[in-house]
Amino acid sequence: MINREIIYIDTEFIKLQDLLKFCGAVETGGQAKLAIQYGDVLVNGEVCTMRGKKLRDGDVVTFDEEEFEVKQR
């Protein structure tokens, strides 16, 4: 079963690698880079290999059987 967590941001967007670190899915930027590079991260249901992908309100990231939904405050 996939757990979904809402991640609130105060900015217009957050980059994919930063979201993974912010929500605790990975411990370091290096781990985020590798997970994204290896195609282990989905954005809105599709594999995304762009570390700098800008995530905005409503985007959903799936990684390691967890979902993180971006919500703007």
Side-chain angles (χ1 to χ4, degrees):
M1 180 177 193
I2 293 182
N3 296 321
R4 180 174 281 205
E5 183 178 342
I6 305 296
I7 304 298
Y8 292 98
I9 60 172
D10 295 321
T11 56
E12 179 184 348
F13 65 85
I14 185 170
K15 292 183 180 179
L16 180 56
Q17 66 182 9
D18 296 334
L19 176 96
L20 292 176
K21 290 187 296 184
F22 179 74
C23 67
V26 296
E27 292 182 17
T28 67
Q31 288 176 334
K33 176 182 176 181
L34 290 176
I36 295 166
Q37 185 176 351
Y38 293 150
D40 295 335
V41 180
L42 304 178
V43 175
N44 299 324
E46 296 184 11
V47 172
C48 182
T49 56
M50 299 183 321
R51 288 182 302 170
K53 169 79 173 162
K54 293 178 181 177
L55 303 171
R56 292 181 165 78
D57 187 56
D59 285 334
V60 176
V61 174
T62 307
F63 174 69
D64 198 25
E65 296 190 26
E66 290 195 63
E67 286 185 347
F68 306 97
E69 183 176 353
V70 178
K71 288 288 183 186
Q72 194 168 19
R73 289 191 199 261

